[in-house]
Amino acid sequence: MAVNLPDTHGGDAGAGTAAPAAPAGGRAEARRARRSAEGRRSRSPKKGRSGRRPRPWWIEIPAMAAVGLVVALLIKTCLFQVFTIPSGSMENTLRIGDRVGVNKLAPLTGWKPEPGQPVVFKDPGGWLPPQATDGNPLTDALGSALSFVGLVPPKDDNYLVKRVIATGGQTVQCSGTTLTVDGAKVDEPYLHPGDDSCAGLDFGPVTVPQGHVWVEGDHRSDSADSRYHQRGPGGGAVPVDNVVGPVSAVVWPLGHLDWFGWVGR
């Protein structure tokens, strides 16, 4: 009896055929390729959201320092500058070693000195002796650079601080213990204890030239001010162009912090 054997080489024409399985070696190769690609991605430098790589520290730090210096220079040029009080001529309002903030924006916005205001001004000529240096070119250069950008007070630029007593066109006079401006007595509650307005030096009447100010120290008996320079330029008065600005505050030391107002009143 004949037996019909199934055809093992062919299949039903209407049935689908299964895809041959991938060899085990091929799957392992694929896994190794994926791991290799992930490793390269993890080792590559990360980028910021903008797609740019972060700058290295040796570029970032100098850049930040440069920005800080520019900001300090702008503040010193247009806003405030710090000066150190070197003498007792303004005691007890300002003491030796005090650091004061001077408002340099005020002159740029139309401010003019008025009687009663403490101001910083550049030596009009002959008020101060030549300023000594420490003799070290390196420290002198460093100090000049830091002073230029406003990080430290100027130490050799011949600046003084006094109080405005009279302005251009006004007449000032002192006799006995009484100071007058245009004939009116000046009340001076800021004077150093034990001093009077004249401190033994009578003068005047003196008419202040236009564009100048007459200045005196609060420690009247220890201040070489306009009274002592009447034979110099301006008859002792200081050109307004030499005035840096009003003293707005004592900013150091902490125990002597004080605020005189935006224009030093």
Side-chain angles (χ1 to χ4, degrees), residues 58-150:
W58 61 85
I59 295 179
E60 287 286 349
I61 292 178
M64 293 172 62
V67 171
L69 290 175
V70 169
V71 171
L73 181 60
L74 289 175
I75 292 174
K76 174 229 175 181
T77 303
C78 302
L79 297 177
F80 284 89
Q81 186 173 1
V82 175
F83 292 83
T84 299
I85 303 302
S87 73
S89 67
M90 283 293 290
E91 290 177 337
N92 283 331
T93 306
L94 304 174
R95 302 171 185 170
I96 298 174
D98 281 356
R99 295 195 176 187
V100 298
V102 176
N103 180 2
K104 298 186 72 173
L105 182 62
L108 300 177
T109 56
W111 168 86
K112 297 295 182 184
E114 295 182 4
Q117 296 175 339
V119 296
V120 168
F121 59 93
K122 191 172 180 64
D123 184 355
W127 285 44
L128 290 174
Q131 301 297 298
T133 63
D134 60 12
N136 187 321
L138 180 60
T139 58
D140 283 347
L142 179 60
S144 297
L146 294 177
S147 173
F148 176 74
V149 298

Side-chain angles (χ1 to χ4, degrees), residues 12-219:
D12 189 351
T17 59
R27 289 194 296 272
E29 288 291 339
R31 285 195 296 271
R32 283 195 294 270
R34 285 196 298 272
R35 284 197 294 268
S36 177
E38 291 172 356
R40 287 194 298 270
R41 285 196 297 271
S42 65
R43 289 192 299 270
S44 63
K46 294 182 179 181
K47 298 181 179 181
R49 294 182 179 180
S50 64
R52 296 181 179 178
R53 295 182 180 180
R55 297 183 181 90
W57 65 267
W58 61 85
I59 295 179
E60 287 286 349
I61 292 178
M64 293 172 62
V67 171
L69 290 175
V70 169
V71 171
L73 181 60
L74 289 175
I75 292 174
K76 174 229 175 181
T77 303
C78 302
L79 297 177
F80 284 89
Q81 186 173 1
V82 175
F83 292 83
T84 299
I85 303 302
S87 73
S89 67
M90 283 293 290
E91 290 177 337
N92 283 331
T93 306
L94 304 174
R95 302 171 185 170
I96 298 174
D98 281 356
R99 295 195 176 187
V100 298
V102 176
N103 180 2
K104 298 186 72 173
L105 182 62
L108 300 177
T109 56
W111 168 86
K112 297 295 182 184
E114 295 182 4
Q117 296 175 339
V119 296
V120 168
F121 59 93
K122 191 172 180 64
D123 184 355
W127 285 44
L128 290 174
Q131 301 297 298
T133 63
D134 60 12
N136 187 321
L138 180 60
T139 58
D140 283 347
L142 179 60
S144 297
L146 294 177
S147 173
F148 176 74
V149 298
L151 296 181
V152 299
K155 59 181 181 178
D156 57 357
D157 289 332
N158 296 337
Y159 289 94
L160 302 96
V161 57
K162 305 290 180 188
R163 191 179 296 273
V164 176
I165 300 299
T167 58
Q170 293 184 313
T171 299
V172 59
Q173 182 176 6
C174 210
S175 179
T177 60
T178 303
L179 175 70
T180 61
V181 174
D182 290 340
K185 180 181 178 181
V186 178
D187 184 25
E188 299 188 283
Y190 42 74
L191 287 176
H192 187 275
D195 276 3
D196 59 60
S197 294
C198 299
L201 180 62
D202 293 357
F203 68 89
V206 176
T207 299
V208 182
Q210 293 293 339
H212 290 67
V213 290
W214 185 271
V215 296
E216 298 183 15
D218 291 356
H219 194 174

